[in-house]
Amino acid sequence: LVLVTTSLAAAAGALAAAITAFMIFKKHDLSMVLNGILGGLVAITAGADKMSPLEAIIIGLIGGVLVVFGV
C-alpha cells in the first residue's frame, strides 16, 4: 500500500504541476513537472500507510499545484 500511494501521489503531483504551469506560463516546463513530483512525494510522505489510493491522488494533486505557486 505504501508503494502504491507514494507512486500515485508522485504521478498526480507531476500531472497537476504540468497543467498548472502550462495554464500560468503558457509553455511546457520540465522543471515544474519534476518539482511537482517532489511536491507530491513530500505531501504524501507522512501518511503514506494510512491513505487510500484515491486519497493519495488527491493529496498529490494538491501538492503539485502548491509547488508551482511556491516556486
Side-chain angles (χ1 to χ4, degrees), residues 3-66:
L3 178 65
V4 170
T5 56
T6 303
S7 299
L8 285 174
L15 187 62
I19 293 170
T20 305
F22 184 76
M23 288 172 42
I24 293 173
F25 304 121
K26 303 294 186 218
K27 65 177 187 157
H28 298 288
D29 189 359
L30 180 62
S31 67
M32 284 295 177
V33 174
L34 297 175
N35 282 324
I37 292 171
L38 288 174
L41 289 171
V42 167
I44 196 64
T45 297
D49 61 334
K50 305 288 185 205
M51 303 295 164
S52 71
L54 180 60
E55 291 170 333
I57 292 170
I58 294 169
I59 291 170
L61 290 172
I62 293 169
V65 170
L66 287 177

